[in-house]
Amino acid sequence: MSSSIKISVTKMDFGVSGELTSKVYDTVIIGGGPAGMSAAIYAARYGMSTIIITEEIGGQVGKSGWVENYLGYTRIMGPPDLVTKFEEHVKYYNVPIIIDSVENVERDGELFKVYTLNGDEYTARTIIIAVGEKKRKLNVPGEDTFNGRGGVSYCAPCDAPLFKGKVVAVVGGGDSAASAALLLTEYASKVYVIHRRNQLRAQKYYQDLLLKNPKIEIIWNAIVKELQGDKLLRKAILQRVDTKETIELPLDGLFVEIGAEPPIELFRRIGLELSQDGYIKVNHIMETNMVGIYAAGDCIDLTPRDFRQIIVAAGQGALAAYSAYNYIIKKFGFNRA
């Protein structure tokens, strides 16, 4: 059911076919969320030749609801409004955005080779990794069966309008779950929040909004064990964590917001040093263990897991571009071809 926002920029937008792959870039940015977009803007302003390679534009912002804590916007929808603003800002600096998936990065002398799923190869003096995280799944019977048009979604902003007048549930207890539940109240007749603990992890601001919204009911100390239906989702089978009691909850839709995890296998192929839970280790200026490779945003261990904020990722992206620029000037000088 989820339909990620993908605003594709093709190679032909920036010149003849092959031009982008034959060039040596000052930096290739992997990821098109707030960190990657911010890095691109700062890199371009430093005069660095730059491209972004990303599976989708916006990252988690493209899956958020109302954004009310990003400087300059009292209240703005993640997709399409804030995502479009990001893209327009990057396009202003003529930074190409390639919709593709990076499969590996290898060192080639003083340069790096970037290999993509589409079979393209890009050469760069530096790499900025800003791939963020991917949503976790429940991994319960019925989840894959009803994923798509069947009633299971991982993107409330994408799919909330499809549930007008319906009964839905959100699984999770953090900011993303709270944001999704609040957005869904604008469409659904009833919104359950299913949380495995007896206390939410969301910011107090979100908690207050949830608790006073008449459409929202929180089911505490419960987990989803199975999803059932026919061609569409009809109910969720829940189990109480404390009493082990089983509950049948009639539903038209289920939105999964139980966190995310970074692409660990990609990081290992590249050779990056990782934290115990798979996030890239960086220092205070976004340097990784590999000289010339920088990282920023939700994929790094420096970002608190309970404070994944757009403004934090954007700041880290800017800092990564700053560090990449200083590295290039010291190593390659101003007059690089």
Side-chain angles (χ1 to χ4, degrees), residues 222-241:
I223 58 174
V224 177
K225 296 295 288 184
E226 186 178 353
L227 301 175
Q228 297 180 358
D230 37 54
K231 291 183 178 180
L232 300 174
L233 175 67
R234 300 301 182 189
K235 61 184 175 182
I237 307 301
L238 311 183
Q239 184 181 67
R240 295 280 187 187
V241 174

Side-chain angles (χ1 to χ4, degrees), residues 116-134:
T116 74
L117 182 64
N118 287 341
D120 289 325
E121 179 183 313
Y122 301 87
T123 305
R125 296 181 176 91
T126 63
I127 303 292
I128 296 176
I129 299 175
V131 293
E133 304 170 301
K134 291 191 176 181

Side-chain angles (χ1 to χ4, degrees), residues 194-241:
I194 303 167
H195 187 44
R196 64 186 306 133
R197 298 181 177 86
N198 60 4
Q199 184 176 347
L200 298 173
R201 294 179 290 104
Q203 298 175 51
K204 187 178 185 304
Y205 174 78
Y206 277 138
Q207 293 190 39
D208 291 342
L209 291 176
L210 288 177
L211 294 172
K212 71 181 183 183
N213 193 304
K215 284 190 175 182
I216 295 176
E217 179 180 339
I218 302 177
I219 302 177
W220 304 101
N221 298 307
I223 58 174
V224 177
K225 296 295 288 184
E226 186 178 353
L227 301 175
Q228 297 180 358
D230 37 54
K231 291 183 178 180
L232 300 174
L233 175 67
R234 300 301 182 189
K235 61 184 175 182
I237 307 301
L238 311 183
Q239 184 181 67
R240 295 280 187 187
V241 174

Side-chain angles (χ1 to χ4, degrees), residues 40-55:
I41 290 167
Y42 275 81
R45 287 174 62 86
Y46 279 125
M48 299 165 64
S49 56
T50 305
I51 60 169
I52 295 174
I53 305 174
T54 183
E55 294 180 11

